[in-house]
Amino acid sequence: MSLVVDDLTVRYQGASGPAASGVSFSLAAGELVAIMGPSGAGKSALLRALALGQDYSGSEAAEIVGGAAFISGAPVRSAGKREHLFAQHEIAYLPQNAGAALPGGSSIGDFLSAPLIARDKRADRGAVGERAARSIDAVGLTLSTLSLFPSELSGGQRQRAAIARALMIGPRLLLADEPASGVDPSVRGVIGTLLRTGLEAGMAAVVVSHDLELLVALDARVIVLDAGAVVADGPLSELLAEG
Ligand code: ADP
Ligand code: ADP
């Protein structure tokens, strides 16, 4: 899928001013853009506005209040029912501190299965279970993790489970907000591998990350936000060379 962001302004619901404005970039299938920039720059707001309400962390929603974004040519509007359905099919959003925000009342298996069952109530439970098993294995957790609850997992294991859920739908667009922050370093390797595999399969990805090692390895294009505006856009190697 392609993503076109054109002069976008986004605002947190209830906030007086925009969190980011004048943001433009486009992304083809199989491409990655990394969003960097200081705290408060508007990185999370941008991702959240594109995520069409795909959030389980209870964070404040952000909405598009100016400009436009298009996913595979269709305009992204603030999330109504149709957009929600669309998002359940195509977009995976990994919120910041996703692991810490796992809903405590669901087993990991139920948490992983939820997006697939939400989009098709009659989904074959056996097939959903097999998919959950593959996803949990891909992030380096054991199958027995599926029957555990978040309170029984370490921080790194929870983050891996959150990543596994993002993989469950086989997303065509991944929106990941600092997927490796605040967790054990081994999670970074998982993220790198999964990003590479996904991109090769044609997934597009927008990832908020300051992990230079990972971004260099992925030869990432980087957009730097500061105070809600794009201040740099280009290959990381060029940005580093310019200092
Ligand atoms: P970043 O992800 O780059 O740290 P954010 O998107 O979290 O930036 O924040 C962008 C701006 O929006 C900041 O000025 C921040 O104070 C403000 N902000 C963050 N969260 C909210 C919220 N829930 N409601 C209103 N304003 C917010
Ligand atoms: P169809 O139902 O035949 O896929 P639609 O008109 O519903 O056609 O949508 C065309 C494409 O745009 C589909 O891939 C759909 O999932 C996607 N789409 C629909 N609504 C949105 C939206 N708000 N934002 C982004 N893409 C959307």
Side-chain angles (χ1 to χ4, degrees), residues 18-166:
S21 57
V23 178
S24 297
F25 64 92
S26 57
L27 207 57
E31 288 185 347
L32 164 82
V33 67
I35 311 287
M36 301 179 90
S39 178
K43 306 181 297 294
S44 297
L46 176 63
L47 247 56
R48 244 179 241 162
L50 295 173
L52 294 169
Q54 293 280 93
D55 197 348
Y56 50 83
S57 70
S59 307
E60 211 63 52
E63 55 194 1
I64 294 171
V65 294
F70 303 88
I71 294 174
S72 297
V76 175
R77 294 168 292 266
S78 47
K81 195 162 181 243
R82 182 165 166 274
E83 289 72 26
H84 226 100
L85 249 177
F86 168 75
Q88 281 167 1
H89 278 86
E90 316 264 335
I91 304 172
Y93 172 60
L94 190 60
Q96 197 169 5
N97 301 318
L102 295 194
S106 308
S107 70
I108 300 302
D110 286 346
F111 173 69
L112 260 60
S113 306
L116 285 176
I117 291 175
R119 79 184 191 191
D120 179 7
K121 298 266 182 299
R122 289 166 302 169
D124 175 347
R125 299 303 146 112
V128 172
E130 274 168 33
R131 195 156 186 141
R134 279 204 301 277
S135 295
I136 209 76
D137 183 61
V139 298
L141 295 175
T142 60
L143 287 186
S144 57
T145 311
L146 292 172
S147 58
L148 299 179
F149 284 77
S151 60
E152 299 172 282
L153 303 184
S154 72
Q157 288 172 323
R158 288 188 203 188
Q159 185 70 9
R160 285 168 191 260
I163 295 166
R165 165 152 150 158

Side-chain angles (χ1 to χ4, degrees), residues 214-228:
L214 173 68
L215 298 179
V216 166
L218 291 169
D219 193 22
R221 169 182 171 199
V222 173
I223 289 177
V224 183
L225 281 181
D226 193 6

